[in-house]
């Protein structure tokens, strides 16, 4: 561990043809706790937002909010594409290109925002991939950091403009991700920044997401699909 600069799992021993092999693997240094809450637009039968969290075979955790910018079941299908493709270990850049080509080849006025948080559970290194998505927030020690990008939604242009924002997460950090139905701009979400700044770091995550949605219904004058995902970082034992 000292030589490699990383934590290792307890050794495993195998005996084969008179030789004994000891195997150690990279061990996770952080863990995650998650919760999501979502509401559909009042005039729609289906929610065009898709929110999902999962871990793939390479010890990478993903939290995704995708908003299919269309109507009904078509929007829901667009926003679930990444949910199906990423768990199998496909690279983010390839999956985004596939989604972009898939939407453009359908020749429909239906686009998709992508807000994807990736966390390396072995190192704590993280990154946001944002394509037309609303701002996200990281709360650390009572301080609030806003993460935003001006990139376009998937499907509008031939070349993808998604921005990959890299940073390091620490145990105790809280990440809050939202769809644009909750807040579209800083001016639109002043109430949200104030609420997040006053959050108790030990609050149950399902209560946090429900509280934000309730406040969004009160503060927003428009009706839209709304989704909130909260991710709390912990230290792996």
């Amino acid at each position: 561990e000292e030589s490699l600069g990383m934590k290792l799992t307890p050794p495993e021993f195998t005996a084969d043809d008179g030789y004994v092999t000891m195997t150690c693997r990279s061990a996770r240094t952080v863990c995650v706790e998650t919760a999501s809450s979502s509401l559909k637009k009042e005039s729609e039968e289906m929610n065009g937002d898709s929110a999902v969290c999962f871990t793939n075979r390479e010890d990478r955790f993903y939290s995704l909010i995708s908003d299919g910018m269309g109507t009904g079941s078509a929007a829901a299908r667009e926003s679930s594409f990444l949910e199906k493709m990423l768990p199998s270990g496909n690279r983010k850049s390839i999956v985004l290109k596939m989604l972009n080509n898939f939407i453009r080849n359908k020749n429909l006025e239906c686009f998709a925002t992508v807000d994807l948080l990736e966390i390396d559970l072995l190192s704590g290194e993280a990154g946001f991939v944002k394509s037309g998505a609303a701002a996200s927030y990281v709360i650390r020690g009572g301080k609030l950091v806003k993460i935003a990008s001006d990139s376009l939604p998937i499907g509008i242009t031939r070349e993808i403009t998604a921005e990959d924002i890299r940073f390091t997460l620490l145990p105790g950090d809280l990440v809050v991700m939202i769809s644009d139905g909750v807040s579209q701009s800083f001016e639109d979400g002043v109430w949200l920044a104030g609420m997040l700044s006053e959050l108790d770091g030990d609050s149950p995550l399902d209560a946090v997401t429900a509280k934000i949605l309730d406040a969004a219904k009160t503060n927003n004058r428009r009706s839209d699909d709304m989704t909130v995902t909260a991710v709390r970082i912990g230290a792996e034992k």
Side-chain angles (χ1 to χ4, degrees), residues 128 136-147 167-177 192-203 205 208 212 229-233:
F128 266 109
S136 300
Y137 299 85
V138 178
I139 305 166
R140 176 181 296 174
K143 296 183 179 180
L144 183 66
V145 177
K146 179 181 178 182
I147 299 176
F167 56 98
T168 300
L169 288 170
L170 301 175
D173 287 351
L174 176 63
V175 182
V176 176
M177 303 169 62
L192 177 59
M195 175 183 292
L196 295 178
S197 298
E198 297 173 358
L199 275 181
D200 182 351
D202 296 325
S203 298
L205 294 188
V208 170
I212 294 173
T229 296
V231 180
R232 179 179 286 137
I233 311 303

Side-chain angles (χ1 to χ4, degrees), residues 155-166:
I156 291 182
T157 61
R158 184 177 300 275
E159 297 297 327
I160 298 176
T161 62
E163 186 173 357
D164 193 351
I165 306 167
R166 310 298 301 179

